[in-house]
mmCIF file of all heavy atoms in Angstrom:
data_model
loop_
_atom_site.group_PDB
_atom_site.id
_atom_site.type_symbol
_atom_site.label_atom_id
_atom_site.label_comp_id
_atom_site.label_asym_id
_atom_site.label_seq_id
_atom_site.Cartn_x
_atom_site.Cartn_y
_atom_site.Cartn_z
ATOM 1 N N GLU A 91 4.469 -24.230 -73.189
ATOM 2 C CA GLU A 91 5.157 -25.362 -72.547
ATOM 3 C C GLU A 91 4.561 -25.705 -71.172
ATOM 4 O O GLU A 91 4.613 -26.843 -70.739
ATOM 5 C CB GLU A 91 6.643 -25.059 -72.382
ATOM 6 C CG GLU A 91 7.421 -24.968 -73.668
ATOM 7 C CD GLU A 91 8.855 -24.573 -73.434
ATOM 8 O OE1 GLU A 91 9.371 -24.692 -72.311
ATOM 9 O OE2 GLU A 91 9.513 -24.127 -74.423
ATOM 10 N N GLY A 92 4.011 -24.701 -70.529
ATOM 11 C CA GLY A 92 3.423 -24.903 -69.181
ATOM 12 C C GLY A 92 2.011 -25.372 -69.169
ATOM 13 O O GLY A 92 1.417 -25.647 -68.103
ATOM 14 N N GLU A 93 1.377 -25.479 -70.351
ATOM 15 C CA GLU A 93 -0.023 -25.914 -70.424
ATOM 16 C C GLU A 93 -0.290 -27.254 -69.736
ATOM 17 O O GLU A 93 -1.349 -27.426 -69.169
ATOM 18 C CB GLU A 93 -0.517 -25.947 -71.864
ATOM 19 C CG GLU A 93 -0.934 -24.599 -72.421
ATOM 20 C CD GLU A 93 -1.495 -24.718 -73.796
ATOM 21 O OE1 GLU A 93 -0.765 -25.166 -74.725
ATOM 22 O OE2 GLU A 93 -2.655 -24.331 -73.966
ATOM 23 N N SER A 94 0.666 -28.151 -69.861
ATOM 24 C CA SER A 94 0.454 -29.469 -69.234
ATOM 25 C C SER A 94 0.503 -29.395 -67.705
ATOM 26 O O SER A 94 0.039 -30.267 -67.023
ATOM 27 C CB SER A 94 1.508 -30.465 -69.773
ATOM 28 O OG SER A 94 2.776 -30.046 -69.405
ATOM 29 N N CYS A 95 1.118 -28.353 -67.209
ATOM 30 C CA CYS A 95 1.293 -28.160 -65.743
ATOM 31 C C CYS A 95 0.044 -27.546 -65.159
ATOM 32 O O CYS A 95 -0.456 -28.005 -64.100
ATOM 33 C CB CYS A 95 2.467 -27.264 -65.505
ATOM 34 S SG CYS A 95 2.628 -26.721 -63.811
ATOM 35 N N HIS A 96 -0.513 -26.527 -65.795
ATOM 36 C CA HIS A 96 -1.697 -25.843 -65.243
ATOM 37 C C HIS A 96 -2.472 -25.267 -66.407
ATOM 38 O O HIS A 96 -1.915 -24.698 -67.325
ATOM 39 C CB HIS A 96 -1.283 -24.770 -64.267
ATOM 40 C CG HIS A 96 -2.405 -24.301 -63.373
ATOM 41 N ND1 HIS A 96 -3.423 -23.527 -63.858
ATOM 42 C CD2 HIS A 96 -2.660 -24.571 -62.082
ATOM 43 C CE1 HIS A 96 -4.259 -23.302 -62.859
ATOM 44 N NE2 HIS A 96 -3.835 -23.911 -61.773
ATOM 45 N N GLY A 97 -3.789 -25.350 -66.341
ATOM 46 C CA GLY A 97 -4.671 -24.872 -67.399
ATOM 47 C C GLY A 97 -4.574 -23.373 -67.662
ATOM 48 O O GLY A 97 -4.825 -22.937 -68.769
ATOM 49 N N TYR A 98 -4.182 -22.578 -66.662
ATOM 50 C CA TYR A 98 -4.110 -21.145 -66.859
ATOM 51 C C TYR A 98 -3.063 -20.787 -67.919
ATOM 52 O O TYR A 98 -3.132 -19.727 -68.494
ATOM 53 C CB TYR A 98 -3.792 -20.434 -65.538
ATOM 54 C CG TYR A 98 -4.988 -20.177 -64.678
ATOM 55 C CD1 TYR A 98 -6.208 -20.802 -64.904
ATOM 56 C CD2 TYR A 98 -4.909 -19.312 -63.583
ATOM 57 C CE1 TYR A 98 -7.287 -20.604 -64.090
ATOM 58 C CE2 TYR A 98 -6.023 -19.060 -62.774
ATOM 59 C CZ TYR A 98 -7.201 -19.721 -63.039
ATOM 60 O OH TYR A 98 -8.278 -19.472 -62.233
ATOM 61 N N PHE A 99 -2.035 -21.633 -68.072
ATOM 62 C CA PHE A 99 -1.046 -21.341 -69.076
ATOM 63 C C PHE A 99 -1.628 -21.302 -70.474
ATOM 64 O O PHE A 99 -1.119 -20.614 -71.349
ATOM 65 C CB PHE A 99 0.086 -22.339 -69.007
ATOM 66 C CG PHE A 99 1.034 -22.118 -67.851
ATOM 67 C CD1 PHE A 99 0.925 -22.904 -66.710
ATOM 68 C CD2 PHE A 99 1.934 -21.088 -67.874
ATOM 69 C CE1 PHE A 99 1.769 -22.686 -65.624
ATOM 70 C CE2 PHE A 99 2.777 -20.868 -66.813
ATOM 71 C CZ PHE A 99 2.700 -21.655 -65.668
ATOM 72 N N GLY A 100 -2.705 -22.038 -70.720
ATOM 73 C CA GLY A 100 -3.388 -21.981 -72.027
ATOM 74 C C GLY A 100 -3.950 -20.622 -72.260
ATOM 75 O O GLY A 100 -3.804 -20.050 -73.336
ATOM 76 N N GLY A 101 -4.611 -20.040 -71.272
ATOM 77 C CA GLY A 101 -5.153 -18.684 -71.390
ATOM 78 C C GLY A 101 -4.052 -17.654 -71.572
ATOM 79 O O GLY A 101 -4.162 -16.732 -72.392
ATOM 80 N N ILE A 102 -2.964 -17.818 -70.827
ATOM 81 C CA ILE A 102 -1.856 -16.902 -70.972
ATOM 82 C C ILE A 102 -1.255 -16.972 -72.361
ATOM 83 O O ILE A 102 -0.930 -15.983 -72.986
ATOM 84 C CB ILE A 102 -0.781 -17.169 -69.866
ATOM 85 C CG1 ILE A 102 -1.358 -16.832 -68.479
ATOM 86 C CG2 ILE A 102 0.518 -16.423 -70.152
ATOM 87 C CD1 ILE A 102 -0.531 -17.273 -67.337
ATOM 88 N N TYR A 103 -1.118 -18.210 -72.860
ATOM 89 C CA TYR A 103 -0.599 -18.401 -74.235
ATOM 90 C C TYR A 103 -1.431 -17.647 -75.253
ATOM 91 O O TYR A 103 -0.880 -16.868 -76.058
ATOM 92 C CB TYR A 103 -0.578 -19.918 -74.538
ATOM 93 C CG TYR A 103 -0.407 -20.237 -75.991
ATOM 94 C CD1 TYR A 103 0.830 -20.078 -76.618
ATOM 95 C CD2 TYR A 103 -1.458 -20.722 -76.751
ATOM 96 C CE1 TYR A 103 0.986 -20.362 -77.970
ATOM 97 C CE2 TYR A 103 -1.306 -21.016 -78.079
ATOM 98 C CZ TYR A 103 -0.086 -20.856 -78.683
ATOM 99 O OH TYR A 103 0.084 -21.137 -80.027
ATOM 100 N N TYR A 104 -2.734 -17.866 -75.258
ATOM 101 C CA TYR A 104 -3.577 -17.176 -76.237
ATOM 102 C C TYR A 104 -3.614 -15.678 -76.078
ATOM 103 O O TYR A 104 -3.636 -14.939 -77.057
ATOM 104 C CB TYR A 104 -4.984 -17.795 -76.223
ATOM 105 C CG TYR A 104 -5.025 -19.147 -76.831
ATOM 106 C CD1 TYR A 104 -5.254 -20.269 -76.043
ATOM 107 C CD2 TYR A 104 -4.765 -19.369 -78.185
ATOM 108 C CE1 TYR A 104 -5.231 -21.568 -76.586
ATOM 109 C CE2 TYR A 104 -4.771 -20.617 -78.740
ATOM 110 C CZ TYR A 104 -5.019 -21.684 -77.940
ATOM 111 O OH TYR A 104 -5.001 -22.962 -78.483
ATOM 112 N N ASN A 105 -3.583 -15.201 -74.830
ATOM 113 C CA ASN A 105 -3.557 -13.792 -74.576
ATOM 114 C C ASN A 105 -2.261 -13.138 -75.084
ATOM 115 O O ASN A 105 -2.291 -12.059 -75.683
ATOM 116 C CB ASN A 105 -3.746 -13.477 -73.080
ATOM 117 C CG ASN A 105 -5.169 -13.622 -72.613
ATOM 118 O OD1 ASN A 105 -6.081 -13.867 -73.425
ATOM 119 N ND2 ASN A 105 -5.402 -13.463 -71.361
ATOM 120 N N LEU A 106 -1.148 -13.813 -74.847
ATOM 121 C CA LEU A 106 0.144 -13.259 -75.323
ATOM 122 C C LEU A 106 0.211 -13.238 -76.836
ATOM 123 O O LEU A 106 0.687 -12.262 -77.410
ATOM 124 C CB LEU A 106 1.294 -14.082 -74.763
ATOM 125 C CG LEU A 106 1.534 -13.938 -73.239
ATOM 126 C CD1 LEU A 106 2.583 -14.925 -72.781
ATOM 127 C CD2 LEU A 106 1.948 -12.508 -72.908
ATOM 128 N N LEU A 107 -0.330 -14.277 -77.490
ATOM 129 C CA LEU A 107 -0.370 -14.240 -78.961
ATOM 130 C C LEU A 107 -1.248 -13.101 -79.450
ATOM 131 O O LEU A 107 -0.923 -12.387 -80.400
ATOM 132 C CB LEU A 107 -0.875 -15.567 -79.517
ATOM 133 C CG LEU A 107 0.111 -16.699 -79.713
ATOM 134 C CD1 LEU A 107 -0.532 -17.881 -80.382
ATOM 135 C CD2 LEU A 107 1.357 -16.254 -80.482
ATOM 136 N N SER A 108 -2.344 -12.897 -78.774
ATOM 137 C CA SER A 108 -3.240 -11.804 -79.107
ATOM 138 C C SER A 108 -2.586 -10.461 -78.953
ATOM 139 O O SER A 108 -2.737 -9.566 -79.782
ATOM 140 C CB SER A 108 -4.495 -11.886 -78.263
ATOM 141 O OG SER A 108 -5.356 -10.785 -78.506
ATOM 142 N N LEU A 109 -1.823 -10.301 -77.867
ATOM 143 C CA LEU A 109 -1.108 -9.041 -77.649
ATOM 144 C C LEU A 109 -0.015 -8.847 -78.688
ATOM 145 O O LEU A 109 0.244 -7.714 -79.099
ATOM 146 C CB LEU A 109 -0.518 -9.026 -76.234
ATOM 147 C CG LEU A 109 -1.501 -8.915 -75.088
ATOM 148 C CD1 LEU A 109 -0.812 -9.173 -73.772
ATOM 149 C CD2 LEU A 109 -2.206 -7.551 -75.073
ATOM 150 N N ALA A 110 0.616 -9.912 -79.100
ATOM 151 C CA ALA A 110 1.685 -9.831 -80.061
ATOM 152 C C ALA A 110 1.192 -9.532 -81.466
ATOM 153 O O ALA A 110 1.725 -8.711 -82.195
ATOM 154 C CB ALA A 110 2.534 -11.105 -80.066
ATOM 155 N N TRP A 111 0.137 -10.245 -81.873
ATOM 156 C CA TRP A 111 -0.301 -10.193 -83.251
ATOM 157 C C TRP A 111 -1.680 -9.586 -83.498
ATOM 158 O O TRP A 111 -2.125 -9.501 -84.600
ATOM 159 C CB TRP A 111 -0.283 -11.625 -83.865
ATOM 160 C CG TRP A 111 1.076 -12.265 -83.807
ATOM 161 C CD1 TRP A 111 1.402 -13.335 -83.020
ATOM 162 C CD2 TRP A 111 2.237 -11.864 -84.497
ATOM 163 N NE1 TRP A 111 2.754 -13.614 -83.217
ATOM 164 C CE2 TRP A 111 3.276 -12.743 -84.101
ATOM 165 C CE3 TRP A 111 2.510 -10.834 -85.402
ATOM 166 C CZ2 TRP A 111 4.591 -12.643 -84.598
ATOM 167 C CZ3 TRP A 111 3.821 -10.748 -85.890
ATOM 168 C CH2 TRP A 111 4.810 -11.642 -85.490
ATOM 169 N N GLY A 112 -2.368 -9.195 -82.445
ATOM 170 C CA GLY A 112 -3.702 -8.595 -82.607
ATOM 171 C C GLY A 112 -4.690 -9.588 -83.189
ATOM 172 O O GLY A 112 -4.680 -10.777 -82.854
ATOM 173 N N SER A 113 -5.486 -9.118 -84.102
ATOM 174 C CA SER A 113 -6.541 -9.949 -84.697
ATOM 175 C C SER A 113 -5.955 -11.073 -85.568
ATOM 176 O O SER A 113 -6.684 -11.972 -85.937
ATOM 177 C CB SER A 113 -7.488 -9.105 -85.513
ATOM 178 O OG SER A 113 -6.824 -8.505 -86.601
ATOM 179 N N ARG A 114 -4.687 -10.970 -85.928
ATOM 180 C CA ARG A 114 -4.052 -12.001 -86.733
ATOM 181 C C ARG A 114 -3.559 -13.178 -85.926
ATOM 182 O O ARG A 114 -2.988 -14.118 -86.479
ATOM 183 C CB ARG A 114 -2.881 -11.423 -87.527
ATOM 184 C CG ARG A 114 -3.305 -10.278 -88.424
ATOM 185 C CD ARG A 114 -2.101 -9.563 -88.989
ATOM 186 N NE ARG A 114 -1.369 -8.949 -87.877
ATOM 187 C CZ ARG A 114 -0.117 -8.551 -87.947
ATOM 188 N NH1 ARG A 114 0.550 -8.665 -89.055
ATOM 189 N NH2 ARG A 114 0.469 -7.989 -86.900
ATOM 190 N N ALA A 115 -3.751 -13.144 -84.631
ATOM 191 C CA ALA A 115 -3.188 -14.174 -83.726
ATOM 192 C C ALA A 115 -3.615 -15.582 -84.072
ATOM 193 O O ALA A 115 -2.872 -16.537 -83.980
ATOM 194 C CB ALA A 115 -3.554 -13.868 -82.269
ATOM 195 N N ARG A 116 -4.856 -15.746 -84.510
ATOM 196 C CA ARG A 116 -5.339 -17.090 -84.811
ATOM 197 C C ARG A 116 -4.667 -17.690 -86.021
ATOM 198 O O ARG A 116 -4.722 -18.884 -86.239
ATOM 199 C CB ARG A 116 -6.855 -17.091 -84.966
ATOM 200 C CG ARG A 116 -7.356 -16.338 -86.178
ATOM 201 C CD ARG A 116 -8.892 -16.400 -86.263
ATOM 202 N NE ARG A 116 -9.372 -15.521 -87.308
ATOM 203 C CZ ARG A 116 -9.854 -14.309 -87.132
ATOM 204 N NH1 ARG A 116 -9.942 -13.839 -85.894
ATOM 205 N NH2 ARG A 116 -10.244 -13.580 -88.119
ATOM 206 N N HIS A 117 -3.980 -16.872 -86.826
ATOM 207 C CA HIS A 117 -3.323 -17.362 -88.016
ATOM 208 C C HIS A 117 -1.788 -17.528 -87.784
ATOM 209 O O HIS A 117 -1.113 -17.936 -88.690
ATOM 210 C CB HIS A 117 -3.489 -16.415 -89.188
ATOM 211 C CG HIS A 117 -4.936 -16.173 -89.508
ATOM 212 N ND1 HIS A 117 -5.766 -17.173 -90.014
ATOM 213 C CD2 HIS A 117 -5.722 -15.080 -89.405
ATOM 214 C CE1 HIS A 117 -6.995 -16.682 -90.169
ATOM 215 N NE2 HIS A 117 -6.970 -15.418 -89.825
ATOM 216 N N LYS A 118 -1.338 -17.194 -86.605
ATOM 217 C CA LYS A 118 0.093 -17.246 -86.315
ATOM 218 C C LYS A 118 0.420 -18.471 -85.466
ATOM 219 O O LYS A 118 -0.350 -18.953 -84.685
ATOM 220 C CB LYS A 118 0.525 -15.991 -85.555
ATOM 221 C CG LYS A 118 0.346 -14.720 -86.354
ATOM 222 C CD LYS A 118 1.411 -14.619 -87.411
ATOM 223 C CE LYS A 118 1.304 -13.278 -88.141
ATOM 224 N NZ LYS A 118 2.341 -13.119 -89.136
ATOM 225 N N LYS A 119 1.634 -18.900 -85.649
ATOM 226 C CA LYS A 119 2.178 -19.993 -84.831
ATOM 227 C C LYS A 119 3.104 -19.366 -83.781
ATOM 228 O O LYS A 119 3.592 -18.258 -84.023
ATOM 229 C CB LYS A 119 2.952 -20.979 -85.670
ATOM 230 C CG LYS A 119 2.061 -21.739 -86.640
ATOM 231 C CD LYS A 119 2.865 -22.728 -87.445
ATOM 232 C CE LYS A 119 1.892 -23.471 -88.376
ATOM 233 N NZ LYS A 119 2.538 -24.388 -89.225
ATOM 234 N N PRO A 120 3.388 -20.082 -82.705
ATOM 235 C CA PRO A 120 4.299 -19.520 -81.721
ATOM 236 C C PRO A 120 5.694 -19.279 -82.327
ATOM 237 O O PRO A 120 6.098 -19.927 -83.281
ATOM 238 C CB PRO A 120 4.384 -20.612 -80.667
ATOM 239 C CG PRO A 120 3.223 -21.492 -80.922
ATOM 240 C CD PRO A 120 2.857 -21.378 -82.354
ATOM 241 N N CYS A 121 6.358 -18.287 -81.800
ATOM 242 C CA CYS A 121 7.700 -17.929 -82.276
ATOM 243 C C CYS A 121 8.728 -18.964 -81.783
ATOM 244 O O CYS A 121 8.617 -19.448 -80.676
ATOM 245 C CB CYS A 121 8.143 -16.574 -81.747
ATOM 246 S SG CYS A 121 7.109 -15.241 -82.348
ATOM 247 N N PRO A 122 9.671 -19.282 -82.623
ATOM 248 C CA PRO A 122 10.729 -20.179 -82.169
ATOM 249 C C PRO A 122 11.583 -19.494 -81.100
ATOM 250 O O PRO A 122 11.822 -18.282 -81.158
ATOM 251 C CB PRO A 122 11.526 -20.441 -83.435
ATOM 252 C CG PRO A 122 11.237 -19.319 -84.369
ATOM 253 C CD PRO A 122 9.870 -18.844 -83.996
ATOM 254 N N VAL A 123 12.011 -20.258 -80.125
ATOM 255 C CA VAL A 123 12.841 -19.740 -79.070
ATOM 256 C C VAL A 123 14.163 -20.504 -79.150
ATOM 257 O O VAL A 123 14.209 -21.699 -78.933
ATOM 258 C CB VAL A 123 12.176 -19.907 -77.689
ATOM 259 C CG1 VAL A 123 13.060 -19.423 -76.594
ATOM 260 C CG2 VAL A 123 10.823 -19.225 -77.677
ATOM 261 N N ALA A 124 15.220 -19.764 -79.424
ATOM 262 C CA ALA A 124 16.556 -20.391 -79.547
ATOM 263 C C ALA A 124 17.073 -20.816 -78.190
ATOM 264 O O ALA A 124 16.754 -20.191 -77.138
ATOM 265 C CB ALA A 124 17.527 -19.363 -80.175
ATOM 266 N N ALA A 125 17.845 -21.874 -78.186
ATOM 267 C CA ALA A 125 18.415 -22.361 -76.949
ATOM 268 C C ALA A 125 19.359 -21.269 -76.381
ATOM 269 O O ALA A 125 19.944 -20.465 -77.123
ATOM 270 C CB ALA A 125 19.229 -23.643 -77.204
ATOM 271 N N GLY A 126 19.388 -21.214 -75.075
ATOM 272 C CA GLY A 126 20.231 -20.203 -74.422
ATOM 273 C C GLY A 126 20.223 -20.454 -72.954
ATOM 274 O O GLY A 126 19.918 -21.561 -72.492
ATOM 275 N N SER A 127 20.479 -19.411 -72.200
ATOM 276 C CA SER A 127 20.435 -19.573 -70.757
ATOM 277 C C SER A 127 19.013 -19.874 -70.315
ATOM 278 O O SER A 127 18.039 -19.534 -70.975
ATOM 279 C CB SER A 127 20.944 -18.311 -70.072
ATOM 280 O OG SER A 127 20.084 -17.218 -70.343
ATOM 281 N N THR A 128 18.912 -20.541 -69.197
ATOM 282 C CA THR A 128 17.572 -20.940 -68.703
ATOM 283 C C THR A 128 17.326 -20.282 -67.353
ATOM 284 O O THR A 128 18.248 -19.770 -66.668
ATOM 285 C CB THR A 128 17.465 -22.457 -68.523
ATOM 286 O OG1 THR A 128 18.465 -22.899 -67.594
ATOM 287 C CG2 THR A 128 17.645 -23.158 -69.868
ATOM 288 N N THR A 129 16.067 -20.312 -67.004
ATOM 289 C CA THR A 129 15.621 -19.808 -65.690
ATOM 290 C C THR A 129 14.446 -20.653 -65.271
ATOM 291 O O THR A 129 13.899 -21.435 -66.059
ATOM 292 C CB THR A 129 15.225 -18.303 -65.817
ATOM 293 O OG1 THR A 129 14.938 -17.784 -64.519
ATOM 294 C CG2 THR A 129 13.997 -18.125 -66.698
ATOM 295 N N SER A 130 14.055 -20.520 -64.009
ATOM 296 C CA SER A 130 12.917 -21.295 -63.556
ATOM 297 C C SER A 130 11.641 -20.686 -64.094
ATOM 298 O O SER A 130 11.584 -19.478 -64.399
ATOM 299 C CB SER A 130 12.868 -21.346 -62.031
ATOM 300 O OG SER A 130 12.530 -20.074 -61.510
ATOM 301 N N LEU A 131 10.608 -21.462 -64.192
ATOM 302 C CA LEU A 131 9.302 -20.960 -64.662
ATOM 303 C C LEU A 131 8.792 -19.865 -63.709
ATOM 304 O O LEU A 131 8.217 -18.890 -64.149
ATOM 305 C CB LEU A 131 8.327 -22.099 -64.747
ATOM 306 C CG LEU A 131 6.910 -21.734 -65.301
ATOM 307 C CD1 LEU A 131 7.038 -21.214 -66.733
ATOM 308 C CD2 LEU A 131 6.002 -22.954 -65.265
ATOM 309 N N LYS A 132 9.057 -20.018 -62.420
ATOM 310 C CA LYS A 132 8.609 -19.015 -61.440
ATOM 311 C C LYS A 132 9.238 -17.639 -61.716
ATOM 312 O O LYS A 132 8.545 -16.640 -61.715
ATOM 313 C CB LYS A 132 8.961 -19.498 -60.051
ATOM 314 C CG LYS A 132 8.419 -18.593 -58.942
ATOM 315 C CD LYS A 132 8.604 -19.212 -57.604
ATOM 316 C CE LYS A 132 7.882 -18.356 -56.535
ATOM 317 N NZ LYS A 132 7.841 -19.043 -55.237
ATOM 318 N N ILE A 133 10.523 -17.636 -61.983
ATOM 319 C CA ILE A 133 11.197 -16.355 -62.285
ATOM 320 C C ILE A 133 10.724 -15.814 -63.638
ATOM 321 O O ILE A 133 10.520 -14.609 -63.792
ATOM 322 C CB ILE A 133 12.730 -16.545 -62.239
ATOM 323 C CG1 ILE A 133 13.173 -16.819 -60.821
ATOM 324 C CG2 ILE A 133 13.455 -15.316 -62.805
ATOM 325 C CD1 ILE A 133 14.636 -17.200 -60.649
ATOM 326 N N PHE A 134 10.543 -16.709 -64.606
ATOM 327 C CA PHE A 134 10.026 -16.272 -65.912
ATOM 328 C C PHE A 134 8.662 -15.589 -65.756
ATOM 329 O O PHE A 134 8.441 -14.522 -66.343
ATOM 330 C CB PHE A 134 9.877 -17.489 -66.831
ATOM 331 C CG PHE A 134 9.081 -17.196 -68.072
ATOM 332 C CD1 PHE A 134 9.677 -16.536 -69.149
ATOM 333 C CD2 PHE A 134 7.716 -17.561 -68.170
ATOM 334 C CE1 PHE A 134 8.911 -16.263 -70.284
ATOM 335 C CE2 PHE A 134 6.987 -17.280 -69.291
ATOM 336 C CZ PHE A 134 7.588 -16.627 -70.340
ATOM 337 N N LEU A 135 7.778 -16.155 -64.953
ATOM 338 C CA LEU A 135 6.464 -15.540 -64.735
ATOM 339 C C LEU A 135 6.546 -14.163 -64.117
ATOM 340 O O LEU A 135 5.838 -13.241 -64.508
ATOM 341 C CB LEU A 135 5.587 -16.463 -63.899
ATOM 342 C CG LEU A 135 5.184 -17.796 -64.554
ATOM 343 C CD1 LEU A 135 4.418 -18.647 -63.559
ATOM 344 C CD2 LEU A 135 4.399 -17.576 -65.824
ATOM 345 N N LYS A 136 7.468 -14.042 -63.156
ATOM 346 C CA LYS A 136 7.671 -12.734 -62.479
ATOM 347 C C LYS A 136 8.163 -11.691 -63.485
ATOM 348 O O LYS A 136 7.681 -10.570 -63.540
ATOM 349 C CB LYS A 136 8.646 -12.900 -61.358
ATOM 350 C CG LYS A 136 8.849 -11.633 -60.535
ATOM 351 C CD LYS A 136 9.905 -11.793 -59.438
ATOM 352 C CE LYS A 136 9.291 -12.567 -58.296
ATOM 353 N NZ LYS A 136 10.164 -12.608 -57.114
#
């Protein structure tokens, strides 16, 4: 979601998928995130 804000979020996105799924990351789609409480992006990053 943050990719439009800063290009580094693209790298973080692919790295996190790689950490989650290993070599299968390129075949996986992002996980759905159910609505719930929110926080700022800054706190999320921390």
Side-chain angles (χ1 to χ4, degrees):
E91 292 176 18
E93 278 184 299
S94 62
C95 170
H96 197 287
Y98 277 15
F99 284 103
I102 292 169
Y103 165 73
Y104 287 111
N105 283 356
L106 290 172
L107 275 185
S108 174
L109 291 169
W111 301 112
S113 63
R114 300 171 296 164
R116 66 180 172 261
H117 303 294
K118 296 287 184 176
K119 293 182 180 177
C121 296
V123 179
S127 64
T128 60
T129 187
S130 70
L131 184 61
K132 186 172 187 169
I133 292 172
F134 168 79
L135 293 175
K136 184 183 282 188

